[in-house]
Amino acid sequence: MFVGGHQELMPRWLQLILATPVQFWIGFRFYRGSYFALKSKSANMDVLVALGTSMAYLLSVIVTLWAWIDQHVYFEASTAVITLILLGKLMESRAKGKTSEAVENLIRLQPKTAFIEEAGVLRSVSVL
């Protein structure tokens, strides 16, 4: 049905070796998060990432182990999804950190006293 050899830049067995730590060691946080989400009968992004990358990885392992199946492998897709989502989470946490630092700096700029003029008389009032 699906015929026509696939030209790969890297042998499948090497892709399997390189993708396995990314899938199960680096991506472990998604498996743990999806376990707790499913345990509480809900679904979140961790469930989607774990399910999607696991299916791509599992299909690629099957195709690699049974060499007579002439299909494309998706090791790069599963590792790219995990890597890009973790990179996005890193960028988000950095942005949150910089935002809270900027808010703290703005709070420090708040004056300690204010001046109120009533009937031509200027008096100072503590803001705190």
Side-chain angles (χ1 to χ4, degrees):
M1 184 171 162
F2 297 102
V3 186
H6 300 283
Q7 184 175 1
E8 297 165 345
L9 298 175
M10 210 181 301
R12 290 179 178 180
W13 61 268
L14 184 57
Q15 292 181 46
L16 172 64
I17 291 171
L18 294 174
T20 301
V22 174
Q23 185 70 37
F24 297 110
W25 182 52
I26 297 173
F28 178 73
R29 67 182 295 168
F30 298 112
Y31 289 110
R32 186 180 62 232
S34 62
Y35 169 75
F36 289 118
L38 293 174
K39 187 177 175 184
S40 65
K41 295 184 170 102
S42 65
N44 59 10
M45 188 174 107
D46 291 337
V47 174
L48 295 174
V49 173
L51 185 63
T53 59
S54 295
M55 289 302 103
Y57 179 83
L58 184 63
L59 173 71
S60 300
V61 167
I62 291 170
V63 169
T64 301
L65 294 180
W66 287 285
W68 56 269
I69 301 175
D70 188 30
Q71 287 285 323
H72 182 73
V73 292
Y74 297 98
F75 291 118
E76 78 286 348
S78 68
T79 57
V81 167
I82 290 172
T83 303
L84 291 174
I85 289 176
L86 289 177
L87 181 64
K89 287 186 177 213
L90 174 70
M91 291 169 62
E92 178 186 15
S93 68
R94 280 185 158 181
K96 283 182 182 178
K98 288 183 180 181
T99 302
S100 44
E101 181 182 328
V103 168
E104 288 173 6
N105 288 338
L106 281 174
I107 290 172
R108 278 192 225 115
L109 291 175
Q110 180 179 1
K112 307 291 186 242
T113 58
F115 294 98
I116 299 176
E117 181 182 354
E118 291 177 344
V121 177
L122 194 65
R123 65 183 176 102
S124 70
V125 178
S126 176
V127 175
L128 301 174

